[in-house]
Amino acid sequence: DAGVIQSPRHEVTEMGQEVTLRCKPISGHNSLFWYRQTMMRGLELLIYFNNNVPIDDSGMPEDRFSAKMPNASFSTLKIQPSEPRDSAVYFCASSLGGLDQPQHFGDGTRLSIL
Amino acid sequence: GQQLNQSPQSMFIQEGEDVSMNCTSSSIFNTWLWYKQDPGEGPVLLIALYKAGELTSNGRLTAQFGITRKDSFLNISASIPSDVGIYFCAGQVAGANSKLTFGKGITLSVRP
């Protein structure tokens, strides 16, 4: 069975550029989560969706970050404009049900902002 | 907010040894999860615990939900080289909109 699929796997870009990360959740899962992982802060939840609706975006660092889920099989996380401190690994996860169900993670996008 | 403490940051063991990892919290949790992350990959769920005192096994892995609901431990028996990776605990307090809180993880190295 296909797991959570993220693209690209790696992204290197210059500061100020727009970055778009993509995620396809596991088919049938109705909750989707975006996380950021850094050495300093570990795994941080940025935003999560339930049935395509954003439920809690309190983890989004600032207005430069935005996320959408136009349908049940696709979500994007956008950073505009990007800054070097945004460099991290960004994970997407999905679950069947709400926050209390185990989350299945994709392999992440390693983002480097120069 | 809730914080989960995992220490030490790194553990080094010999192949064949057992190892135990602990995770503690200042808050009471209703759910404890243990994940393993291999280099270049996302965390993979190992064991989920939903009740205080619950002891659950998954092959050579055993995890327990502490009676106080403020801690959990993960045991790996007869370690093998592929056990190398970062082990994260994660916890969730009660409530439909309660987020999962992750520990910083423990990096396990297994010497052959």
Side-chain angles (χ1 to χ4, degrees):
Chain A
D1 287 343
V4 175
I5 299 172
Q6 291 187 247
S7 65
R9 289 297 313 273
H10 304 273
E11 173 94 14
V12 181
T13 191
E14 292 186 343
M15 65 177 293
Q17 297 296 308
E18 177 179 291
V19 172
T20 300
L21 311 181
R22 297 173 176 80
C23 175
K24 178 176 165 48
I26 293 173
S27 178
H29 282 192
N30 60 347
S31 290
L32 184 140
F33 308 82
W34 282 101
Y35 287 86
R36 178 170 66 178
Q37 186 178 40
T38 60
M39 288 292 290
M40 290 295 295
R41 300 171 70 96
L43 267 166
E44 302 174 278
L45 179 65
L46 301 177
I47 185 171
Y48 85 92
F49 295 83
N50 186 254
N51 293 323
N52 312 339
V53 176
I55 303 299
D56 186 343
D57 64 355
S58 60
M60 296 285 261
E62 43 198 276
D63 292 345
R64 298 183 297 105
F65 285 68
S66 63
K68 293 182 180 179
M69 191 164 186
N71 57 61
S73 58
F74 184 66
S75 176
T76 59
L77 177 68
K78 192 170 290 190
I79 309 173
Q80 167 63 21
S82 57
E83 297 181 4
R85 62 193 168 118
D86 301 332
S87 298
V89 182
Y90 290 82
F91 287 103
C92 175
S94 70
S95 72
L96 182 62
L99 280 164
D100 60 343
Q101 297 301 310
Q103 297 172 25
H104 299 265
F105 284 75
D107 284 339
T109 295
R110 183 172 293 278
L111 177 64
S112 297
I113 308 297
L114 307 176
Chain B
Q2 296 86 25
Q3 283 190 330
L4 290 182
N5 299 307
Q6 287 187 266
S7 65
Q9 218 171 356
S10 304
M11 299 181 80
F12 299 85
I13 61 173
Q14 199 72 36
E15 182 177 359
E17 289 183 342
D18 299 346
V19 62
S20 183
M21 302 177 193
N22 199 35
C23 185
T24 60
S25 166
S26 56
S27 305
I28 289 176
F29 283 99
N30 275 27
T31 301
W32 285 94
L33 305 172
W34 284 92
Y35 284 86
K36 182 194 176 201
Q37 186 175 20
D38 290 329
E41 297 182 13
V44 173
L45 182 65
L46 297 174
I47 292 179
L49 302 160
Y50 298 104
K51 196 165 34 174
E54 181 180 353
L55 186 71
T56 297
S57 292
N58 178 6
R60 295 179 295 105
L61 276 58
T62 302
Q64 184 158 30
F65 190 141
I67 291 291
T68 64
R69 294 165 65 193
K70 290 186 175 183
D71 65 340
S72 175
F73 72 76
L74 174 72
N75 277 351
I76 304 173
S77 63
S79 59
I80 59 178
S82 61
D83 290 333
V84 165
I86 305 175
Y87 290 80
F88 293 96
C89 63
Q92 187 175 38
V93 300
N97 289 325
S98 170
K99 299 176 213 181
L100 205 56
T101 300
F102 282 83
K104 292 281 178 69
I106 293 176
T107 300
L108 179 67
S109 299
V110 179
R111 290 187 289 262

CSV table of all heavy atoms in Angstrom, one decimal, chain A residues 9 35 37 39-43 45 48 55-56 58-59 91 99-108, chain B residues 9 31 33 35 37 40-45 48 50 86 88 92 95-100 102-104:
chain,number,residue,atom,x,y,z
A,9,ARG,N,11.8,15.7,-2.6
A,9,ARG,CA,12.5,15.1,-1.4
A,9,ARG,C,13.5,16.1,-0.9
A,9,ARG,O,13.8,16.1,0.3
A,9,ARG,CB,13.2,13.8,-1.8
A,9,ARG,CG,12.2,12.6,-2.0
A,9,ARG,CD,11.5,12.2,-0.8
A,9,ARG,NE,12.3,12.1,0.4
A,9,ARG,CZ,12.9,11.1,0.8
A,9,ARG,NH1,12.9,10.0,0.1
A,9,ARG,NH2,13.6,11.1,2.0
A,35,TYR,N,4.5,19.0,9.7
A,35,TYR,CA,5.4,19.1,10.8
A,35,TYR,C,6.7,19.7,10.2
A,35,TYR,O,7.1,19.5,9.0
A,35,TYR,CB,5.8,17.8,11.4
A,35,TYR,CG,4.8,17.2,12.3
A,35,TYR,CD1,3.8,16.3,11.8
A,35,TYR,CD2,4.8,17.4,13.7
A,35,TYR,CE1,2.8,15.7,12.6
A,35,TYR,CE2,3.8,16.8,14.5
A,35,TYR,CZ,2.8,16.0,13.9
A,35,TYR,OH,1.9,15.4,14.8
A,37,GLN,N,10.9,19.6,11.3
A,37,GLN,CA,11.9,19.0,12.2
A,37,GLN,C,13.2,19.7,12.1
A,37,GLN,O,13.8,19.8,11.0
A,37,GLN,CB,12.1,17.5,11.9
A,37,GLN,CG,13.0,16.8,12.8
A,37,GLN,CD,13.1,15.3,12.5
A,37,GLN,OE1,13.2,14.9,11.4
A,37,GLN,NE2,13.0,14.5,13.5
A,39,MET,N,17.1,20.3,14.4
A,39,MET,CA,17.9,19.7,15.5
A,39,MET,C,17.6,20.4,16.8
A,39,MET,O,17.5,19.8,17.9
A,39,MET,CB,19.4,19.9,15.2
A,39,MET,CG,20.0,19.0,14.1
A,39,MET,SD,20.0,17.3,14.6
A,39,MET,CE,21.3,17.3,15.8
A,40,MET,N,17.4,21.7,16.7
A,40,MET,CA,17.2,22.5,17.9
A,40,MET,C,15.8,22.3,18.6
A,40,MET,O,15.7,22.2,19.8
A,40,MET,CB,17.3,24.0,17.6
A,40,MET,CG,18.7,24.4,17.3
A,40,MET,SD,19.8,24.2,18.8
A,40,MET,CE,19.1,25.4,19.9
A,41,ARG,N,14.8,22.2,17.8
A,41,ARG,CA,13.4,22.2,18.3
A,41,ARG,C,12.7,20.9,18.1
A,41,ARG,O,11.6,20.7,18.6
A,41,ARG,CB,12.6,23.3,17.6
A,41,ARG,CG,13.2,24.7,17.8
A,41,ARG,CD,12.5,25.7,17.0
A,41,ARG,NE,11.2,26.0,17.4
A,41,ARG,CZ,10.8,26.9,18.2
A,41,ARG,NH1,11.7,27.8,18.7
A,41,ARG,NH2,9.5,27.1,18.5
A,42,GLY,N,13.4,19.9,17.4
A,42,GLY,CA,12.7,18.6,17.2
A,42,GLY,C,11.6,18.7,16.2
A,42,GLY,O,11.6,19.5,15.3
A,43,LEU,N,10.5,17.9,16.4
A,43,LEU,CA,9.4,17.9,15.6
A,43,LEU,C,8.3,18.8,16.1
A,43,LEU,O,7.9,18.7,17.2
A,43,LEU,CB,8.8,16.5,15.6
A,43,LEU,CG,9.2,15.5,14.5
A,43,LEU,CD1,8.8,14.1,14.8
A,43,LEU,CD2,8.7,15.9,13.1
A,45,LEU,N,4.5,20.6,15.2
A,45,LEU,CA,3.3,20.6,14.4
A,45,LEU,C,3.1,22.0,13.9
A,45,LEU,O,3.0,23.0,14.7
A,45,LEU,CB,2.1,20.1,15.2
A,45,LEU,CG,0.8,20.1,14.5
A,45,LEU,CD1,0.8,19.1,13.3
A,45,LEU,CD2,-0.3,19.7,15.4
A,48,TYR,N,-2.8,21.3,11.1
A,48,TYR,CA,-3.5,20.1,10.7
A,48,TYR,C,-4.8,20.3,10.1
A,48,TYR,O,-5.5,21.3,10.5
A,48,TYR,CB,-3.4,19.0,11.8
A,48,TYR,CG,-4.5,19.1,12.8
A,48,TYR,CD1,-5.7,18.4,12.6
A,48,TYR,CD2,-4.4,19.9,13.9
A,48,TYR,CE1,-6.7,18.5,13.6
A,48,TYR,CE2,-5.4,19.9,14.9
A,48,TYR,CZ,-6.6,19.2,14.7
A,48,TYR,OH,-7.6,19.3,15.6
A,55,ILE,N,-7.9,22.9,10.9
A,55,ILE,CA,-8.5,22.9,12.3
A,55,ILE,C,-7.6,23.8,13.2
A,55,ILE,O,-8.2,24.5,14.0
A,55,ILE,CB,-8.6,21.5,12.8
A,55,ILE,CG1,-9.4,20.6,11.9
A,55,ILE,CG2,-9.1,21.5,14.2
A,55,ILE,CD1,-10.8,21.1,11.7
A,56,ASP,N,-6.3,23.7,13.1
A,56,ASP,CA,-5.4,24.4,14.0
A,56,ASP,C,-4.2,24.8,13.3
A,56,ASP,O,-3.4,23.9,12.9
A,56,ASP,CB,-5.1,23.5,15.2
A,56,ASP,CG,-4.3,24.3,16.3
A,56,ASP,OD1,-3.8,25.3,16.0
A,56,ASP,OD2,-4.3,23.8,17.5
A,58,SER,N,-2.1,27.1,14.7
A,58,SER,CA,-1.3,27.9,15.7
A,58,SER,C,0.2,27.6,15.6
A,58,SER,O,1.0,28.4,16.2
A,58,SER,CB,-1.9,27.6,17.1
A,58,SER,OG,-1.7,26.3,17.4
A,59,GLY,N,0.6,26.5,15.0
A,59,GLY,CA,2.0,26.2,14.9
A,59,GLY,C,2.7,26.9,13.7
A,59,GLY,O,3.9,26.8,13.6
A,91,PHE,N,7.8,17.4,7.3
A,91,PHE,CA,7.1,16.2,7.1
A,91,PHE,C,5.6,16.4,7.0
A,91,PHE,O,5.0,17.3,7.7
A,91,PHE,CB,7.3,15.3,8.4
A,91,PHE,CG,8.7,14.7,8.4
A,91,PHE,CD1,9.7,15.2,9.3
A,91,PHE,CD2,9.0,13.6,7.6
A,91,PHE,CE1,10.9,14.7,9.3
A,91,PHE,CE2,10.3,13.0,7.7
A,91,PHE,CZ,11.3,13.6,8.5
A,99,LEU,N,-7.1,13.7,15.9
A,99,LEU,CA,-5.8,13.8,16.5
A,99,LEU,C,-5.4,12.6,17.4
A,99,LEU,O,-4.3,12.3,17.6
A,99,LEU,CB,-5.7,15.0,17.3
A,99,LEU,CG,-5.5,16.3,16.6
A,99,LEU,CD1,-5.9,17.5,17.5
A,99,LEU,CD2,-4.1,16.4,16.1
A,100,ASP,N,-6.4,11.8,17.8
A,100,ASP,CA,-6.2,10.7,18.7
A,100,ASP,C,-5.8,9.4,18.0
A,100,ASP,O,-5.7,8.4,18.6
A,100,ASP,CB,-7.4,10.5,19.7
A,100,ASP,CG,-8.6,10.2,18.9
A,100,ASP,OD1,-8.7,10.5,17.7
A,100,ASP,OD2,-9.6,9.7,19.6
A,101,GLN,N,-5.7,9.5,16.7
A,101,GLN,CA,-5.4,8.3,15.9
A,101,GLN,C,-3.9,8.3,15.5
A,101,GLN,O,-3.3,9.4,15.3
A,101,GLN,CB,-6.2,8.2,14.7
A,101,GLN,CG,-7.7,8.0,15.0
A,101,GLN,CD,-8.0,6.8,15.9
A,101,GLN,OE1,-7.5,5.7,15.5
A,101,GLN,NE2,-8.7,7.0,17.0
A,102,PRO,N,-3.2,7.2,15.4
A,102,PRO,CA,-1.8,7.2,15.1
A,102,PRO,C,-1.6,7.8,13.7
A,102,PRO,O,-2.3,7.6,12.8
A,102,PRO,CB,-1.5,5.7,15.0
A,102,PRO,CG,-2.5,5.0,15.9
A,102,PRO,CD,-3.7,5.8,15.8
A,103,GLN,N,-0.5,8.6,13.6
A,103,GLN,CA,-0.2,9.3,12.4
A,103,GLN,C,0.9,8.6,11.7
A,103,GLN,O,1.8,8.0,12.2
A,103,GLN,CB,0.3,10.7,12.8
A,103,GLN,CG,-0.8,11.6,13.4
A,103,GLN,CD,-0.2,12.9,14.0
A,103,GLN,OE1,0.8,13.4,13.5
A,103,GLN,NE2,-0.9,13.4,15.0
A,104,HIS,N,0.7,8.6,10.3
A,104,HIS,CA,1.7,7.9,9.5
A,104,HIS,C,2.4,9.0,8.7
A,104,HIS,O,1.8,9.8,8.0
A,104,HIS,CB,1.0,6.9,8.5
A,104,HIS,CG,0.3,5.9,9.3
A,104,HIS,ND1,0.8,4.6,9.5
A,104,HIS,CD2,-1.0,5.8,9.9
A,104,HIS,CE1,-0.1,3.9,10.2
A,104,HIS,NE2,-1.1,4.6,10.4
A,105,PHE,N,3.7,9.0,8.7
A,105,PHE,CA,4.5,10.0,8.2
A,105,PHE,C,5.1,9.7,6.8
A,105,PHE,O,5.4,8.5,6.5
A,105,PHE,CB,5.8,10.3,9.1
A,105,PHE,CG,5.4,11.1,10.3
A,105,PHE,CD1,4.8,10.4,11.4
A,105,PHE,CD2,5.7,12.4,10.4
A,105,PHE,CE1,4.5,11.1,12.6
A,105,PHE,CE2,5.4,13.1,11.6
A,105,PHE,CZ,4.8,12.5,12.7
A,106,GLY,N,5.2,10.7,6.0
A,106,GLY,CA,6.0,10.6,4.7
A,106,GLY,C,7.5,10.7,5.0
A,106,GLY,O,7.9,10.8,6.2
A,107,ASP,N,8.2,10.6,4.0
A,107,ASP,CA,9.7,10.6,4.1
A,107,ASP,C,10.3,12.0,4.2
A,107,ASP,O,11.5,12.2,4.3
A,107,ASP,CB,10.4,9.8,3.0
A,107,ASP,CG,10.2,8.3,3.2
A,107,ASP,OD1,10.0,7.9,4.3
A,107,ASP,OD2,10.3,7.6,2.2
A,108,GLY,N,9.5,13.0,4.1
A,108,GLY,CA,9.9,14.4,4.3
A,108,GLY,C,10.5,15.1,3.1
A,108,GLY,O,10.9,14.5,2.1
B,9,GLN,N,20.5,11.8,25.2
B,9,GLN,CA,20.3,12.1,23.8
B,9,GLN,C,20.8,11.0,22.9
B,9,GLN,O,20.2,10.8,21.8
B,9,GLN,CB,21.1,13.4,23.4
B,9,GLN,CG,20.4,14.3,22.5
B,9,GLN,CD,21.1,15.6,22.3
B,9,GLN,OE1,22.1,15.9,23.0
B,9,GLN,NE2,20.7,16.5,21.5
B,31,THR,N,-2.6,9.2,25.8
B,31,THR,CA,-2.0,8.3,24.7
B,31,THR,C,-0.5,8.5,24.7
B,31,THR,O,0.0,9.6,24.8
B,31,THR,CB,-2.6,8.7,23.3
B,31,THR,OG1,-4.0,8.6,23.3
B,31,THR,CG2,-2.0,7.9,22.2
B,33,LEU,N,2.8,7.2,22.3
B,33,LEU,CA,3.2,6.5,21.0
B,33,LEU,C,4.7,6.5,21.0
B,33,LEU,O,5.4,7.4,21.5
B,33,LEU,CB,2.7,7.3,19.8
B,33,LEU,CG,1.2,7.6,19.7
B,33,LEU,CD1,0.9,8.5,18.6
B,33,LEU,CD2,0.4,6.3,19.6
B,35,TYR,N,7.8,6.1,18.2
B,35,TYR,CA,8.2,6.1,16.7
B,35,TYR,C,9.7,5.9,16.6
B,35,TYR,O,10.5,6.2,17.5
B,35,TYR,CB,7.9,7.5,16.1
B,35,TYR,CG,6.4,7.8,15.8
B,35,TYR,CD1,5.6,8.3,16.8
B,35,TYR,CD2,5.9,7.5,14.6
B,35,TYR,CE1,4.3,8.6,16.5
B,35,TYR,CE2,4.6,7.8,14.3
B,35,TYR,CZ,3.8,8.3,15.3
B,35,TYR,OH,2.4,8.6,15.0
B,37,GLN,N,12.8,6.7,13.7
B,37,GLN,CA,13.1,7.3,12.5
B,37,GLN,C,14.5,6.9,12.0
B,37,GLN,O,15.5,7.0,12.7
B,37,GLN,CB,13.1,8.9,12.7
B,37,GLN,CG,13.4,9.7,11.4
B,37,GLN,CD,13.2,11.2,11.7
B,37,GLN,OE1,13.3,11.6,12.8
B,37,GLN,NE2,13.0,11.9,10.6
B,40,GLY,N,17.1,9.9,6.7
B,40,GLY,CA,16.4,10.3,5.4
B,40,GLY,C,15.0,9.8,5.3
B,40,GLY,O,14.5,9.9,4.2
B,41,GLU,N,14.4,9.3,6.4
B,41,GLU,CA,13.0,8.9,6.3
B,41,GLU,C,12.2,9.5,7.4
B,41,GLU,O,12.7,10.2,8.3
B,41,GLU,CB,13.0,7.3,6.4
B,41,GLU,CG,13.7,6.6,5.3
B,41,GLU,CD,13.6,5.1,5.5
B,41,GLU,OE1,12.8,4.6,6.3
B,41,GLU,OE2,14.4,4.4,4.8
B,42,GLY,N,10.9,9.3,7.2
B,42,GLY,CA,10.0,9.9,8.3
B,42,GLY,C,9.9,8.9,9.4
B,42,GLY,O,10.2,7.7,9.3
B,43,PRO,N,9.4,9.4,10.6
B,43,PRO,CA,9.1,8.5,11.7
B,43,PRO,C,8.1,7.4,11.4
B,43,PRO,O,7.1,7.7,10.7
B,43,PRO,CB,8.6,9.5,12.8
B,43,PRO,CG,9.0,10.8,12.4
B,43,PRO,CD,9.0,10.8,10.9
B,44,VAL,N,8.4,6.2,11.9
B,44,VAL,CA,7.5,5.1,11.7
B,44,VAL,C,6.9,4.7,13.0
B,44,VAL,O,7.7,4.5,14.0
B,44,VAL,CB,8.2,3.9,11.0
B,44,VAL,CG1,7.3,2.7,10.9
B,44,VAL,CG2,8.7,4.3,9.6
B,45,LEU,N,5.6,4.5,13.1
B,45,LEU,CA,5.0,4.1,14.4
B,45,LEU,C,5.4,2.7,14.8
B,45,LEU,O,5.3,1.8,14.0
B,45,LEU,CB,3.5,4.2,14.2
B,45,LEU,CG,2.7,3.9,15.5
B,45,LEU,CD1,3.0,4.9,16.6
B,45,LEU,CD2,1.2,3.9,15.2
B,48,ALA,N,1.6,1.9,20.0
B,48,ALA,CA,0.6,2.8,20.5
B,48,ALA,C,0.0,2.3,21.8
B,48,ALA,O,-0.3,1.1,21.9
B,48,ALA,CB,-0.5,3.1,19.5
B,50,TYR,N,-2.8,3.2,25.0
B,50,TYR,CA,-4.0,4.0,25.2
B,50,TYR,C,-4.5,3.9,26.7
B,50,TYR,O,-5.5,4.6,27.0
B,50,TYR,CB,-5.1,3.6,24.3
B,50,TYR,CG,-4.7,3.8,22.8
B,50,TYR,CD1,-4.4,2.7,22.0
B,50,TYR,CD2,-4.7,5.1,22.3
B,50,TYR,CE1,-4.1,2.9,20.7
B,50,TYR,CE2,-4.4,5.3,20.9
B,50,TYR,CZ,-4.0,4.2,20.1
B,50,TYR,OH,-3.7,4.4,18.8
B,86,ILE,N,16.7,6.9,15.4
B,86,ILE,CA,16.2,7.8,16.5
B,86,ILE,C,14.9,7.3,16.9
B,86,ILE,O,14.0,7.1,16.1
B,86,ILE,CB,16.1,9.2,15.9
B,86,ILE,CG1,17.5,9.7,15.3
B,86,ILE,CG2,15.7,10.2,17.1
B,86,ILE,CD1,17.4,11.0,14.7
B,88,PHE,N,11.6,8.2,19.1
B,88,PHE,CA,10.8,9.3,19.6
B,88,PHE,C,9.6,8.8,20.4
B,88,PHE,O,9.0,7.8,20.0
B,88,PHE,CB,10.2,10.2,18.5
B,88,PHE,CG,11.2,10.9,17.7
B,88,PHE,CD1,11.7,10.4,16.5
B,88,PHE,CD2,11.7,12.2,18.1
B,88,PHE,CE1,12.6,11.1,15.7
B,88,PHE,CE2,12.6,12.9,17.4
B,88,PHE,CZ,13.0,12.4,16.2
B,92,GLN,N,-0.2,12.5,24.1
B,92,GLN,CA,-1.4,13.3,23.8
B,92,GLN,C,-2.2,13.4,25.0
B,92,GLN,O,-2.5,12.4,25.6
B,92,GLN,CB,-2.2,12.7,22.6
B,92,GLN,CG,-3.3,13.6,22.1
B,92,GLN,CD,-3.9,12.9,20.9
B,92,GLN,OE1,-4.1,11.7,20.8
B,92,GLN,NE2,-4.3,13.8,20.0
B,95,GLY,N,-8.8,15.2,25.0
B,95,GLY,CA,-9.5,16.2,24.3
B,95,GLY,C,-9.4,16.0,22.8
B,95,GLY,O,-8.4,15.6,22.3
B,96,ALA,N,-10.5,16.3,22.1
B,96,ALA,CA,-10.6,15.9,20.7
B,96,ALA,C,-9.6,16.7,19.9
B,96,ALA,O,-9.2,16.3,18.8
B,96,ALA,CB,-12.1,16.2,20.2
B,97,ASN,N,-9.3,17.9,20.3
B,97,ASN,CA,-8.4,18.7,19.5
B,97,ASN,C,-7.0,18.8,20.1
B,97,ASN,O,-6.2,19.8,19.9
B,97,ASN,CB,-8.9,20.1,19.3
B,97,ASN,CG,-10.1,20.1,18.4
B,97,ASN,OD1,-10.1,19.4,17.4
B,97,ASN,ND2,-11.1,20.9,18.7
B,98,SER,N,-6.6,17.8,20.9
B,98,SER,CA,-5.3,17.8,21.6
B,98,SER,C,-4.2,17.4,20.6
B,98,SER,O,-4.3,16.3,20.0
B,98,SER,CB,-5.4,16.9,22.8
B,98,SER,OG,-4.1,16.7,23.3
B,99,LYS,N,-3.2,18.2,20.5
B,99,LYS,CA,-2.1,17.8,19.6
B,99,LYS,C,-1.2,16.8,20.2
B,99,LYS,O,-1.1,16.6,21.4
B,99,LYS,CB,-1.3,19.1,19.2
B,99,LYS,CG,-2.1,20.2,18.6
B,99,LYS,CD,-1.1,21.4,18.4
B,99,LYS,CE,-2.0,22.7,18.6
B,99,LYS,NZ,-1.1,23.9,18.4
B,100,LEU,N,-0.5,16.2,19.3
B,100,LEU,CA,0.6,15.2,19.7
B,100,LEU,C,1.8,16.0,20.0
B,100,LEU,O,2.3,16.8,19.2
B,100,LEU,CB,0.8,14.2,18.5
B,100,LEU,CG,1.4,12.9,18.8
B,100,LEU,CD1,0.5,12.1,19.7
B,100,LEU,CD2,1.5,12.1,17.5
B,102,PHE,N,5.9,15.7,20.8
B,102,PHE,CA,7.0,14.8,20.6
B,102,PHE,C,8.2,15.1,21.5
B,102,PHE,O,8.4,16.3,21.7
B,102,PHE,CB,7.5,14.8,19.1
B,102,PHE,CG,6.7,14.1,18.1
B,102,PHE,CD1,5.5,14.7,17.6
B,102,PHE,CD2,7.0,12.8,17.7
B,102,PHE,CE1,4.7,14.0,16.7
B,102,PHE,CE2,6.2,12.1,16.8
B,102,PHE,CZ,5.1,12.7,16.3
B,103,GLY,N,8.8,14.0,21.9
B,103,GLY,CA,10.1,14.2,22.6
B,103,GLY,C,11.2,14.5,21.6
B,103,GLY,O,10.9,14.5,20.4
B,104,LYS,N,12.4,14.9,22.1
B,104,LYS,CA,13.5,15.3,21.1
B,104,LYS,C,14.1,14.0,20.5
B,104,LYS,O,14.9,14.1,19.6
B,104,LYS,CB,14.5,16.1,21.9
B,104,LYS,CG,14.1,17.5,22.3
B,104,LYS,CD,14.1,18.4,21.1
B,104,LYS,CE,13.6,19.8,21.4
B,104,LYS,NZ,14.5,20.5,22.4
